[in-house]
């Protein structure tokens, strides 16, 4: 049963990061472009919306932080061994 639980955990995390981060990035791109204000197909110009642009930047920041934390998590043992950096809780370094 332990193997099945481990496989399910990897599957769930893979779905979250495999599809979740690109989806957040796409939503951020859409919010940013909508907030920038642009000419429509019929020639009308929509006014810029700073709140949507800021929300788009927030989504970009979430994606960047998730990538940085993921890289630090993968390299945590190496960083601990060579530089004695322990940025995660003690249970992560067993």
């Amino acid at each position: 049963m332990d193997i099945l639980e481990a496989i399910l955990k990897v599957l769930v995390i893979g779905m979250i990061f495999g599809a979740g981060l690109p989806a957040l990035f796409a939503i951020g791109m859409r919010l940013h472009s909508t907030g920038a204000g642009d000419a429509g197909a019929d020639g009308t110009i929509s006014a810029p919306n700073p709140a949507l642009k800021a929300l788009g930047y927030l989504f970009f920041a979430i994606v960047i932080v998730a990538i940085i934390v993921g890289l630090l998590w993968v390299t945590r043992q190496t960083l601990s061994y060579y530089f004695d950096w322990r940025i995660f809780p003690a249970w992560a370094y067993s």
Side-chain angles (χ1 to χ4, degrees):
M1 199 63 169
D2 291 333
I3 294 174
L4 181 61
E5 288 178 18
I7 289 172
L8 288 175
K9 286 179 185 178
V10 170
L11 179 66
V12 168
I13 295 297
M15 291 298 288
I16 290 171
F17 289 120
L21 288 179
L24 285 178
F25 183 78
I27 292 169
M29 289 292 290
R30 179 69 178 160
L31 288 171
H32 184 270
S33 68
T34 303
D38 201 4
D42 58 355
T44 59
I45 298 175
S46 61
N49 187 342
L52 288 179
K53 277 181 83 168
L55 194 58
Y57 286 131
L58 176 68
F59 275 75
F60 296 151
I62 290 170
V63 171
I64 289 170
V65 167
I67 290 169
I68 290 171
V69 169
L71 287 172
L72 289 173
W73 178 262
V74 168
T75 60
R76 72 188 183 281
Q77 295 289 2
T78 302
L79 294 174
S80 174
Y81 182 79
Y82 287 109
F83 303 111
D84 199 29
W85 293 350
R86 293 185 173 240
I87 54 177
F88 293 105
W91 57 265
Y93 297 96
S94 58

